[in-house]
Amino acid sequence: MQITKNHLAFVEHAKRTFEANPLYETFRHPAYGDLLALRMGEDRDCVNVYELGDEIANFVQQMEPCPMPRKPVRVFSFDMEKQLQINDHKGGWRQESTEFLGHEIAKNFSRLTIELGKADRDKHEITIRCANIANFAMMIADNEGEHL
């Protein structure tokens, strides 16, 4: 198959859509016919393009159900990741004590409580504190817990 201008325009449209919507994994648009784009790669920075053909069959209930986390959980996980990236220079949490991590939760919770008590709340600050609390809780679970 030869790459056409339509393919290149589709890739550009898919790229803009993926950049504007970090949670999207697939992209289709009626203007491009049967083209389908998938966000791929370890860093999710690649676009694979497929041209769809005839459906063969829909094989239902072939696997154990594995639903995606709810949208608020997925969106918040990106906030958590941003906060982790800001602190990457600290080298991780494997060597941190549970007491230290618990103290960090308490410190962030105290700051969150102060912010929530203000008449003119800073929503950005609230999200930072909540993401930090969740990250420190995740670190404790990663160091000490087991998956449910």
Side-chain angles (χ1 to χ4, degrees), residues 24-78:
Y24 284 14
E25 300 292 334
T26 62
F27 172 77
R28 268 191 89 186
H29 193 280
Y32 299 100
D34 289 335
L35 295 180
L36 171 72
L38 302 178
R39 181 192 297 258
M40 302 294 286
E42 183 175 331
D43 292 326
R44 301 174 69 241
D45 60 348
C46 302
V47 177
N48 281 13
V49 176
Y50 297 89
E51 189 160 13
L52 301 177
D54 294 331
E55 181 177 320
I56 303 301
N58 180 14
F59 296 92
V60 299
Q61 297 177 333
Q62 298 296 305
M63 302 174 279
E64 288 297 317
C66 186
M68 290 287 293
R70 297 171 189 175
K71 185 175 180 180
V73 175
R74 292 191 318 264
V75 171
F76 185 65
S77 73
F78 283 98

Side-chain angles (χ1 to χ4, degrees), residues 2 6 9-10 42 44 51 53 64 72 76-80 96 98 113 117 123-124 126 129-130 135 143 145:
Q2 191 167 2
N6 188 52
F10 177 72
E42 183 175 331
R44 301 174 69 241
E51 189 160 13
E64 288 297 317
F76 185 65
S77 73
F78 283 98
D79 295 330
M80 291 174 64
E96 300 296 345
T98 302
T113 302
K123 292 184 177 191
H124 186 75
I126 290 169
R129 295 298 146 214
C130 288
N135 279 332
N143 288 346

Side-chain angles (χ1 to χ4, degrees), residues 67-129:
M68 290 287 293
R70 297 171 189 175
K71 185 175 180 180
V73 175
R74 292 191 318 264
V75 171
F76 185 65
S77 73
F78 283 98
D79 295 330
M80 291 174 64
E81 178 62 29
K82 286 176 189 172
Q83 286 303 108
L84 286 173
Q85 289 173 359
I86 288 169
N87 292 291
D88 273 347
H89 67 280
K90 294 181 181 178
W93 56 87
R94 295 278 185 209
Q95 304 304 318
E96 300 296 345
S97 70
T98 302
E99 293 78 18
F100 170 78
L101 296 171
H103 174 74
E104 292 299 312
I105 290 172
K107 184 169 71 175
N108 278 276
F109 185 75
S110 176
R111 291 180 182 172
L112 174 62
T113 302
I114 290 167
E115 193 60 43
L116 290 172
K118 294 178 181 178
D120 186 25
R121 297 176 178 165
D122 182 342
K123 292 184 177 191
H124 186 75
E125 181 68 16
I126 290 169
T127 302
I128 288 171
R129 295 298 146 214

Side-chain angles (χ1 to χ4, degrees), residues 80 101-102 105 131-143:
M80 291 174 64
L101 296 171
I105 290 172
N132 285 347
I133 291 165
N135 279 332
F136 287 118
M138 177 274 303
M139 292 172 193
I140 292 171
D142 189 44
N143 288 346

